[in-house]
Amino acid sequence: MAGSVNKVILVGNVGADPEIRRTQDGRPIANLRIATSETWRDRNSGERREKTEWHTVVVFNEGLCKVVEQYVKKGAKLYIEGQLQTRKWQDQQGQDRYSTEVVLQGFNSTLTMLDGRGDGGGASSGFGGGRGSSNNDYGDDYGAPSPSSAPSRGGGGGNFSRDLDDDIPF
Amino acid sequence: MAGSVNKVILVGNVGADPEIRRTQDGRPIANLRIATSETWRDRNSGERREKTEWHTVVVFNEGLCKVVEQYVKKGAKLYIEGQLQTRKWQDQQGQDRYSTEVVLQGFNSTLTMLDGRGDGGGASSGFGGGRGSSNNDYGDDYGAPSPSSAPSRGGGGGNFSRDLDDDIPF
Amino acid sequence: MAGSVNKVILVGNVGADPEIRRTQDGRPIANLRIATSETWRDRNSGERREKTEWHTVVVFNEGLCKVVEQYVKKGAKLYIEGQLQTRKWQDQQGQDRYSTEVVLQGFNSTLTMLDGRGDGGGASSGFGGGRGSSNNDYGDDYGAPSPSSAPSRGGGGGNFSRDLDDDIPF
Amino acid sequence: MAGSVNKVILVGNVGADPEIRRTQDGRPIANLRIATSETWRDRNSGERREKTEWHTVVVFNEGLCKVVEQYVKKGAKLYIEGQLQTRKWQDQQGQDRYSTEVVLQGFNSTLTMLDGRGDGGGASSGFGGGRGSSNNDYGDDYGAPSPSSAPSRGGGGGNFSRDLDDDIPF
DNA sequence: TTTT
DNA sequence: TTTT
């Protein structure tokens, strides 16, 4: 379809240490549960109320998986940018079931750590100090950034020397 | 939880004419199915491939429901901004099931028509010509902000008393 | 124009304590400077580089101004959702100048504190514990949230009992 | 800075045919002017008002530049995702001036055509028929990911060949 | 079930 | 002028 957009932005806290699985061919897949919540004041009772929403986040992007593996722990606050994806599966009775997940895969996904937690052990040094990560963090160049008055910010994402495998699963 | 964000942005096409239900107390709820898709070229075969994702969108916002009711038809292209929400329900076997929907409710939701289609009957004239709608557009009047239980949300842009010259700057 | 969207999303740190001004008719306007930055590794030298971008944020939304006034301090990390706006003005030579700002005004703006800082003095207790604020945080009701299978999610925007004054001053 | 986000999302119409320049080393840079507008009803007079905002968009991303060059014409409706960037320059009097632009550069930028306009001449056939473009669409081949300085970024959606079972029934 |  |  021409011109469509499918984007999810979450800022929330990770409910448990992430699970990292691997595909047969060795690529990592990270699973996260992220909570967002809203609070409001009940008009009648005047009391404060809160509603928490849990999101399943699946990270196929290999670079972001590494970040998750190394830095993301239970309780970490994350900024996530991904896509909605509904997956069909069969339960034990053979009935069709559907699960909707926030998928981080490909160029337009981001995962950024918003607090210091989960960075324990100085591990984050690999990412330049405290920074959990961001998609734009794995390897670029800016050999000769725009020489003009134009903002260089460079190749933005530039030249990935690794193999991109941010492919869609099922 | 402090500081969370739950946001979904979709640009896609409506798969069928929307359904409008009403709660016991008369508030409308609109249901939409929206398709987004991605295309890419297969690395091996070189052939073009496409994957379509279907999203269930539920509109609780009363103003946006009116817009949906009047202007949104099968095939319309929409910009949607809402929140992810997973709802639990029981199937006929009494088993727990979950459905994840994009919910438009409250101040931070938007629905904007991106094409002229679905505006049949000149209905859109009520929206200032060609414009299907926008959240900040159904707002009727801010002299007497909603005293009822209905989300006023209004405000949107409010009442500009100053002089504006929005000419093309530099 | 039919169907347009103008949205800015920032997560960054406040560079200095906010300034709060007031219009003649007493409405508050808050000014913030927010820094975002990107880091990358230079392809040639292999060294880490960083680029910081400074954003001027102007808060017209009265509720959000209160939040800024009470909780936002230099160094605070914020999530901001607003709109781009370019303002024309004359310098001392009478020449036209333009300034582009991120404006928080009206229903579709958000400001959320992402860290505990700036919440000093237990001030944040008014916001339900640790939470700096969010737009959806000032007072709604949902007396009898949707009784059906439909997600109530309530809160969202609901019924503002206060007077909305999210208008554009300057 | 750890964990920052700088994102602009625009849906609007192109005010004039884009200008394409080239850097000394031959890389293209496209400049676009995009209009967004809001309409509202004046609280006092009850009359409809409209405010148009003009945005300067600079496309450094090479793939997106090609799309702009080939498909984007005056009047086209676009979805744009980029970053805010303020550039300093000197006017003829040697005074510092600043211009804020929406920059499309790097992995997290997107440009999608939302209408058929600008696709004249069947040019769009190269993009799979009618589709103006999308960031994840100009990338053609991922068997031989870009060896050059050009952002491969590609990947986006990439090549689905593997079998995955990501069953996360939650 | 949309759209191209 | 922030932050890491």
Side-chain angles (χ1 to χ4, degrees):
Chain A
M1 178 197 322
S4 69
V5 173
N6 173 1
K7 179 172 289 288
V8 179
I9 292 173
L10 300 177
V11 174
N13 294 283
V14 177
D17 286 349
E19 300 169 27
I20 317 276
R21 299 172 289 132
R22 285 190 178 270
T23 61
Q24 291 99 318
D25 51 330
R27 285 184 299 188
I29 298 172
N31 274 267
L32 297 168
R33 291 283 287 170
I34 294 187
T36 57
S37 74
E38 295 180 90
T39 58
W40 70 96
R41 195 166 292 282
D42 185 274
R43 187 188 5 182
N44 299 115
S45 67
E47 64 191 28
R48 175 152 294 278
R49 303 192 56 182
E50 178 166 5
K51 180 171 186 300
T52 296
E53 192 70 36
W54 284 96
H55 310 271
T56 298
V57 175
V58 186
V59 185
F60 291 106
N61 182 300
E62 204 163 344
L64 297 181
C65 271
K66 285 183 198 163
V67 171
V68 170
E69 196 163 23
Q70 293 181 57
Y71 307 113
V72 176
K73 304 294 175 210
K74 176 180 175 177
K77 174 160 288 191
L78 300 182
Y79 174 93
I80 286 278
E81 205 172 316
Q83 291 183 88
L84 269 186
Q85 200 162 93
T86 298
R87 190 166 44 81
K88 187 182 184 178
W89 51 286
Q90 265 80 31
D91 66 13
Q92 293 140 324
Q93 286 77 41
Q95 282 197 292
D96 287 346
R97 304 285 286 269
Y98 298 87
S99 294
T100 300
E101 295 156 339
V102 177
V103 170
L104 275 65
Q105 177 176 200
F107 73 95
N108 226 351
S109 300
T110 311
L111 185 156
T112 303
M113 299 189 69
L114 296 178
D115 57 12
R117 261 184 295 182
D119 291 11
S124 68
S125 66
F127 282 84
R131 173 174 220 168
S133 151
S134 164
N135 210 356
N136 44 325
D137 221 48
Y138 26 101
D140 304 339
D141 94 288
Y142 292 88
S146 50
S148 66
S149 65
S152 73
R153 228 211 78 230
N159 187 348
F160 294 12
S161 53
R162 67 192 180 88
D163 221 61
L164 277 173
D165 288 303
D166 313 318
D167 305 358
I168 300 187
F170 57 118
Chain B
M1 176 200 324
S4 69
V5 173
N6 174 0
K7 178 171 290 287
V8 179
I9 291 173
L10 300 177
V11 174
N13 294 282
V14 177
D17 286 349
E19 301 168 27
I20 316 275
R21 299 172 287 132
R22 284 189 179 271
T23 60
Q24 288 99 318
D25 51 329
R27 284 186 299 189
I29 299 172
N31 274 267
L32 298 167
R33 291 283 286 169
I34 294 187
T36 57
S37 74
E38 294 181 271
T39 58
W40 70 97
R41 195 166 291 281
D42 186 273
R43 189 200 319 208
N44 300 113
S45 68
E47 66 191 26
R48 175 154 294 277
R49 301 194 56 182
E50 177 166 5
K51 180 173 186 295
T52 295
E53 191 70 37
W54 284 97
H55 310 272
T56 297
V57 175
V58 186
V59 185
F60 290 104
N61 182 299
E62 204 163 343
L64 296 182
C65 273
K66 284 183 199 165
V67 171
V68 170
E69 197 163 22
Q70 293 181 57
Y71 306 112
V72 177
K73 304 293 175 211
K74 175 178 175 177
K77 174 159 286 190
L78 300 181
Y79 173 94
I80 286 279
E81 204 173 316
Q83 291 183 91
L84 269 186
Q85 197 164 93
T86 298
R87 189 167 46 83
K88 187 182 183 177
W89 50 285
Q90 265 80 31
D91 66 13
Q92 293 141 324
Q93 286 77 41
Q95 282 197 292
D96 288 346
R97 305 284 287 269
Y98 299 87
S99 294
T100 300
E101 294 156 338
V102 177
V103 170
L104 274 66
Q105 177 176 200
F107 74 95
N108 227 349
S109 299
T110 311
L111 185 155
T112 303
M113 298 190 70
L114 295 178
D115 55 12
R117 260 181 297 183
D119 292 11
S124 70
S125 66
F127 282 84
R131 171 173 220 168
S133 150
S134 163
N135 210 356
N136 42 325
D137 216 56
Y138 74 85
D140 338 67
D141 173 294
Y142 296 103
S146 57
S148 69
S149 67
S152 79
R153 238 205 57 250
N159 185 347
F160 300 6
S161 54
R162 67 197 176 91
D163 218 61
L164 277 181
D165 17 23
D166 328 305
D167 306 5
I168 306 185
F170 50 119
Chain C
M1 176 200 324
S4 69
V5 173
N6 174 0
K7 179 171 289 289
V8 179
I9 292 173
L10 300 177
V11 174
N13 294 282
V14 177
D17 286 350
E19 300 169 28
I20 317 275
R21 299 172 288 132
R22 284 188 180 272
T23 61
Q24 292 98 318
D25 51 329
R27 285 184 299 189
I29 299 172
N31 274 268
L32 298 167
R33 290 284 285 168
I34 295 187
T36 57
S37 76
E38 296 179 89
T39 58
W40 70 95
R41 195 166 292 280
D42 186 274
R43 189 195 351 192
N44 299 113
S45 68
E47 65 192 26
R48 175 153 294 278
R49 301 193 57 183
E50 177 166 5
K51 181 172 186 298
T52 296
E53 191 70 36
W54 284 96
H55 310 271
T56 297
V57 174
V58 186
V59 185
F60 292 107
N61 181 298
E62 204 163 345
L64 296 182
C65 273
K66 284 183 197 163
V67 171
V68 170
E69 197 163 23
Q70 293 181 58
Y71 307 113
V72 176
K73 305 292 176 210
K74 174 179 174 176
K77 174 159 285 189
L78 300 182
Y79 174 94
I80 287 278
E81 204 173 317
Q83 291 183 91
L84 269 186
Q85 199 162 95
T86 297
R87 191 169 42 84
K88 186 183 185 177
W89 52 284
Q90 265 80 32
D91 66 14
Q92 294 141 324
Q93 286 76 42
Q95 282 196 292
D96 288 346
R97 303 285 287 268
Y98 299 87
S99 293
T100 301
E101 295 156 338
V102 178
V103 170
L104 275 66
Q105 178 177 198
F107 73 95
N108 226 350
S109 300
T110 311
L111 185 156
T112 303
M113 299 189 69
L114 295 178
D115 56 11
R117 261 182 297 183
D119 292 12
S124 69
S125 65
F127 283 83
R131 172 174 220 169
S133 150
S134 164
N135 209 358
N136 44 326
D137 219 50
Y138 27 101
D140 306 338
D141 94 289
Y142 288 87
S146 52
S148 66
S149 66
S152 75
R153 226 214 76 233
N159 186 347
F160 295 10
S161 54
R162 67 193 180 88
D163 220 60
L164 276 174
D165 289 303
D166 311 321
D167 305 357
I168 299 187
F170 62 124
Chain D
M1 175 197 325
S4 70
V5 174
N6 173 1
K7 179 171 288 289
V8 178
I9 291 172
L10 301 177
V11 174
N13 294 284
V14 176
D17 286 349
E19 300 169 27
I20 316 275
R21 298 173 288 132
R22 285 190 179 271
T23 61
Q24 289 99 318
D25 51 330
R27 284 185 300 187
I29 299 174
N31 274 267
L32 298 168
R33 291 286 286 167
I34 295 186
T36 57
S37 75
E38 295 180 271
T39 58
W40 69 96
R41 195 165 292 280
D42 185 273
R43 190 199 319 209
N44 300 114
S45 68
E47 65 192 26
R48 174 156 295 279
R49 302 194 56 184
E50 178 166 6
K51 180 174 184 297
T52 296
E53 191 71 36
W54 284 96
H55 310 272
T56 297
V57 174
V58 186
V59 185
F60 290 103
N61 181 299
E62 205 163 342
L64 296 182
C65 272
K66 283 183 200 164
V67 171
V68 169
E69 197 164 21
Q70 294 181 55
Y71 307 113
V72 176
K73 305 293 176 210
K74 176 179 174 177
K77 174 159 285 189
L78 300 182
Y79 174 93
I80 286 279
E81 204 172 317
Q83 291 183 91
L84 269 185
Q85 199 163 94
T86 298
R87 188 169 45 84
K88 187 182 184 177
W89 51 284
Q90 266 79 33
D91 66 13
Q92 293 141 324
Q93 286 76 42
Q95 282 196 293
D96 287 346
R97 303 285 287 270
Y98 299 86
S99 293
T100 301
E101 296 156 338
V102 177
V103 171
L104 274 67
Q105 177 175 200
F107 74 95
N108 226 350
S109 300
T110 311
L111 185 157
T112 304
M113 299 189 69
L114 296 178
D115 56 12
R117 263 184 293 182
D119 291 12
S124 69
S125 65
F127 283 83
R131 173 175 219 170
S133 150
S134 163
N135 210 356
N136 41 325
D137 216 55
Y138 73 83
D140 338 68
D141 174 294
Y142 295 99
S146 56
S148 70
S149 66
S152 79
R153 239 204 56 250
N159 184 349
F160 309 179
S161 52
R162 67 204 172 93
D163 213 64
L164 276 181
D165 17 21
D166 338 293
D167 301 37
I168 309 158
F170 73 109

